[in-house]
Amino acid sequence: MKEFQLIEHYFRNKGLKRRDVELSIGDDCALVNPADNKSLAISCDTLVENVHFLADIPAHALGYKSLAVNLSDLAAMGAEPAWFTLALTLPDVDQPWLAHFSEGLFEIAEYYGIALIGGDTTRGPRSISITINGQVPKGTALTRDGAKIGDWVYVTGTLGDSALGLDILRGVKTVNTEDKEYLINRHYYPTPRVLAGQALRTLATSAIDLSDGLMSDIGHILTASKVGAVIDVNQIPLSNSIKANLSHEDALSYALTGGEDYELLFTVPESQRGAIDTALIHAGVKFVKIGQISAGDKLKLVENGLEFNPISRGFVHF
Ligand code: ADP
Ligand code: MG
């Protein structure tokens, strides 16, 4: 199978059509018509085999996850997904693999209303690079630099599941059979909080998606906003599956330092606390207050009023 046949078969005319796409896959460039009153939000993420994903990841999950992690960046800015390009590097043309990859990719693409408009296909060690484009009403994008002293810190969903799922797959942790599938799925199929991000646009003062772990990612907000934070580790949301299989300390360690949750962390002024309750319930996502922005530049973890030091898991992003 030649490159153009591969594109034709697995990527062209798949997924949904958007009226703002004037010309899609097939020419030297795609042509899109962004809305007048909106800014473009553009981000790129590359996943490399044996660096960002295990070689035996199911192709369907890889297709899904490659787009999910990019959608998560749009979510963190409050942007609406619009178009993406796909640079695919593959060691060989494995048709069943491509079919499953394409299925996973378009499953999530259709769900979030985003269209594949182009890409590049090359031979080499397996990697997937997606450039995603979203739109956000001018002047309303969520950024990392707006957190103010006194703002409340919130997160969506539950934390640590994905990192535990990865450790199960790597064979360094074992869990009950009834929790195993849930945890592995949280690693393979992260849920980008796209609607939540849009709902937070006018309410949150800053936001970030959690890709490297809570402690590391909140640091980006603190640095950009020139503030500190106090986080109460007992407020950190943990799934029943993580609680059922790990000690409290171990679970907190996954939640604080484990990567790839793709949940949102955001800051909200006291005046908007009631409004975010309504907004996020409509977005269909659980969220919880875990702390408060403080003066200074330090992240302080507390448990029952005392300073908390997380145990190190020696997390290696394999
Ligand atoms: P060029 O040589 O001009 O870069 P290509 O032959 O690489 O063009 O690609 C032909 C068309 O197919 C282009 O419109 C390109 O955007 C699209 N394309 C190539 N690879 C992919 C892919 N993996 N997914 C989606 N579109 C692709
Ligand atoms: Mg090319």
Side-chain angles (χ1 to χ4, degrees):
M1 183 176 254
K2 293 259 164 42
E3 179 189 340
F4 75 91
Q5 289 171 314
L6 182 159
I7 297 161
E8 191 66 35
H9 205 78
Y10 297 108
F11 300 111
R12 193 171 169 201
N13 295 322
K14 300 262 183 202
L16 49 77
K17 301 257 170 305
R18 287 178 60 105
R19 290 149 69 92
D20 53 11
V21 177
E22 200 173 304
L23 187 60
S24 188
I25 296 173
D27 213 312
D28 290 310
C29 292
L31 297 172
V32 298
N33 297 318
D36 281 347
N37 50 350
K38 293 189 177 165
S39 298
L40 285 182
I42 303 170
S43 174
C44 180
D45 254 309
T46 300
L47 304 186
V48 177
E49 182 167 297
N50 294 323
V51 179
H52 304 97
F53 59 89
L54 299 167
D56 63 357
I57 185 174
H60 184 278
L62 186 59
Y64 191 101
K65 186 169 179 173
S66 301
L67 188 54
V69 305
N70 278 279
L71 284 163
S72 180
D73 285 321
L74 291 185
M77 302 290 289
E80 301 140 17
W83 321 287
F84 71 106
T85 58
L86 168 70
L88 199 53
T89 307
L90 299 172
D92 48 35
V93 178
D94 176 340
Q95 295 208 45
W97 189 94
L98 275 161
H100 291 128
F101 178 88
S102 163
E103 246 173 59
L105 181 81
F106 287 109
E107 184 179 314
I108 186 167
E110 286 185 38
Y111 185 84
Y112 289 102
I114 188 165
L116 176 64
I117 55 166
D120 197 18
T121 309
T122 51
R123 200 177 284 267
R126 185 170 284 140
S127 84
I128 294 102
S129 187
I130 288 180
T131 299
I132 200 162
N133 297 258
Q135 302 185 100
V136 57
K138 279 187 183 151
T140 69
L142 294 165
T143 53
R144 297 176 177 184
D145 61 2
K148 299 279 180 305
I149 296 167
D151 286 356
W152 300 99
V153 179
Y154 284 78
V155 288
T156 60
T158 59
L159 304 187
D161 297 335
S162 174
L164 180 54
L166 174 60
D167 275 357
I168 297 165
L169 289 165
R170 292 164 71 218
V172 302
K173 279 273 176 192
T174 46
V175 298
N176 307 331
T177 24
E178 59 267 35
D179 296 308
K180 190 172 163 184
E181 192 186 334
Y182 166 82
L183 292 163
I184 289 175
N185 273 332
R186 290 273 288 164
H187 182 71
Y188 280 158
Y189 294 97
T191 305
R193 301 302 183 184
V194 172
L195 282 181
Q198 290 170 34
L200 288 168
R201 257 181 336 226
T202 52
L203 305 174
T205 49
S206 72
I208 190 168
D209 68 318
L210 298 178
S211 53
D212 295 334
L214 170 65
M215 285 181 73
S216 158
D217 289 321
I218 195 176
H220 298 308
I221 285 192
L222 303 187
T223 305
S225 301
K226 302 187 176 69
V227 290
V230 181
I231 300 297
D232 178 353
V233 296
N234 281 334
Q235 304 303 318
I236 290 175
L238 301 171
S239 67
N240 290 333
S241 293
I242 213 171
K243 285 194 277 195
N245 290 281
L246 301 182
S247 72
H248 180 63
E249 263 65 41
D250 206 11
L252 281 179
S253 166
Y254 275 90
L256 287 163
T257 63
E260 302 199 89
D261 287 316
Y262 298 106
E263 296 295 347
L264 295 182
L265 181 144
F266 55 97
T267 56
V268 177
E270 173 66 26
S271 61
Q272 301 290 9
R273 279 184 62 193
I276 74 147
D277 286 351
T278 322
L280 287 191
I281 285 162
H282 284 297
V285 65
K286 292 217 169 84
F287 59 97
V288 55
K289 176 165 77 62
I290 59 166
Q292 194 169 24
I293 296 297
S294 59
D297 59 1
K298 298 263 181 314
L299 171 64
K300 190 174 170 196
L301 302 177
V302 297
E303 182 174 40
N304 305 323
L306 301 173
E307 190 154 338
F308 177 86
N309 291 308
I311 52 168
S312 166
R313 288 182 306 106
F315 181 79
V316 188
H317 201 281
F318 63 93

